[in-house]
Structure formats: C-alpha cells, structure tokens
Amino acid sequence: EYTITDAIVTGSLDERRLKGLMTEHETGVHLLSTPEDPVEAEKISPGLLLEVFSLLKSMYDVIVVDAGHFFDSRVLEVLSLADTILVMASLDVPTVRNVRSCLTLFDQLGYTQEKVKIVVNRHQKKSKVTAEDLEETAETKIFWSIPNDYKPLIASIDSGVPAIIQSAKSKVSRAIEDLSHELLQMYGEDEAEDDAEETEPKPQTASR
C-alpha cells in the first residue's frame, strides 16, 4: 500500500502518478494514506501537501481530510486550504475545553464561523454535559449531531465494513448521510450531481 510520502520519490508529480498512489474502495472513494511510521511521516512537508492538494482539487469534486488531533505546520497548511472545517466534539468537560481552545486558535488564524463548524459525535440526550453547555462555552452553535449508536458501530469496526454500508438504516448511518448531503448542498454539489447524468463526473470523494 502506497502513502503520501511515496509522492516524494516519484519525481515530477502529476495526476496520473498521484492517482497511482491511491487505494480505491468499491464505492468509488479513493484513499490517499499517511504513513504509520512517524519517521516516514516527518518527510511530509507543507510544500508537498500544497502540491498534492492542488492536484487533488483538479481531480475530485469533494476531498475529505482526517486532520487528526494535533496542529503543526502541515495540518495548518491543509486547514487553510479547506472550505469547511468540522470540529468533532463529544459532550464531556475535557473535550468542551479543547473545543474552545481550538476555536480560539482558528479565530486567531482568521477562520470565520462559516468555515468552522462543530459536530457532536456519540451524542446522548442524558449526558451530564449538554449540547447547550458546549454551545455556551464555544460561543457558537452546534452544526450537526451524530447519535451514540453503539451496536452498528462496533459491528462495523469488527467487520471492517463502514457502518453506512453495513447498517445503512441505523441512526448513525442516517446521520452521517444527512450530514454529507447538507455539506454538498452548501457548495451546490448535490444539484450538480443531479444535473450530471449525461456527463462523465469526476470521482465524488478523495479521503486521506
């Protein structure tokens, strides 16, 4: 399996070579992995990321990036290129504090509330920390909530099959699908997809 670091040794990077580094899922999603070895990961520079994402934007209609939990120059480079940043949060005191610190950093970087949106993960109505507590501390509204749907998620992890495929009718799958449609509608991609039946569309999603 190739990773993004293989782009360093391929010489001049173009769409054909970049696509050759990706793993294609049966759903049509293309995955560009990052290396598990931290030594290899250190080879990824902000300049390489800028080059890679410039190509990806010409190849795909939608790009989804798992940016992790820590901010360094490489992560900040990717976030600066993003149209939307989803801050994943759970309803507990440490996470609420971390979300507030995160939003403060984003405000200092000049990111608007339209760009940065909070998504509550594993939402439970009986949580001691409420959604209102999070909104008050973060000083912004929650954009979306994904329910704490334990059984289909565990089954998905055990089988290695995404819950949205294996348990399509579950609460968590419906919430993720609805979130996807909401984000696509924000940028007109849903309408574009409906109008593209007679054309050859670019792949819908590249995930890293």
Side-chain angles (χ1 to χ4, degrees):
E1 180 181 307
Y2 296 109
T3 71
I4 192 173
T5 53
D6 291 296
I8 300 172
V9 297
T10 58
S12 179
L13 192 61
D14 56 26
E15 290 187 11
R16 181 182 61 82
R17 290 189 176 186
L18 182 57
K19 196 167 185 178
L21 301 178
M22 296 185 179
T23 302
E24 183 174 0
H25 190 264
E26 61 186 27
T27 58
V29 173
H30 292 171
L31 174 68
L32 181 59
S33 302
T34 52
E36 295 183 6
D37 184 349
V39 176
E40 288 293 308
E42 283 301 313
K43 297 178 182 179
I44 303 172
S45 67
L48 173 64
L49 289 175
L50 184 60
E51 182 180 6
V52 168
F53 277 93
S54 294
L55 281 172
L56 289 176
K57 289 180 72 174
S58 68
M59 296 165 63
Y60 296 94
D61 292 323
V62 180
I63 303 169
V64 179
V65 180
D66 181 354
H69 303 283
F70 303 101
F71 300 134
D72 58 18
S73 59
R74 296 165 297 184
V75 173
L76 293 177
E77 181 71 49
V78 174
L79 294 179
S80 69
L81 297 172
D83 295 311
T84 301
I85 300 171
L86 300 181
V87 179
M88 305 303 294
S90 54
L91 295 178
D92 58 74
V93 173
T95 299
V96 169
R97 289 175 177 170
N98 288 338
V99 168
R100 180 58 199 161
S101 298
C102 177
L103 295 184
T104 298
L105 172 62
F106 288 164
D107 183 60
Q108 293 170 349
L109 292 171
Y111 299 164
T112 64
Q113 288 191 356
E114 287 72 26
K115 176 170 181 167
V116 181
K117 302 183 183 302
I118 297 177
V119 176
V120 174
N121 194 25
R122 299 182 64 182
H123 180 247
Q124 299 181 81
K125 293 182 178 179
K126 295 182 179 180
S127 174
K128 291 183 179 179
V129 178
T130 66
E132 290 75 17
D133 293 332
L134 174 58
E135 290 181 334
E136 182 179 353
T137 303
E139 298 181 356
T140 189
K141 292 291 184 181
I142 293 170
F143 177 69
W144 209 263
S145 293
I146 299 174
N148 186 27
D149 203 359
Y150 180 79
K151 288 185 178 180
L153 285 178
I154 291 299
S156 172
I157 293 170
D158 289 343
S159 66
V161 179
I164 199 167
I165 297 174
Q166 180 169 276
S167 306
K169 295 182 179 180
S170 64
K171 293 179 181 179
V172 65
S173 295
R174 290 200 301 268
I176 293 172
E177 185 173 5
D178 290 345
L179 171 59
S180 300
H181 285 304
E182 181 71 18
L183 291 170
L184 289 172
Q185 286 178 351
M186 286 169 53
Y187 298 103
E189 293 293 345
D190 256 4
E191 290 81 357
E193 185 176 344
D194 291 339
D195 294 338
E197 292 180 359
E198 297 181 2
T199 65
E200 182 68 26
K202 292 185 287 184
Q204 284 298 308
T205 307
S207 177
R208 169 182 168 275

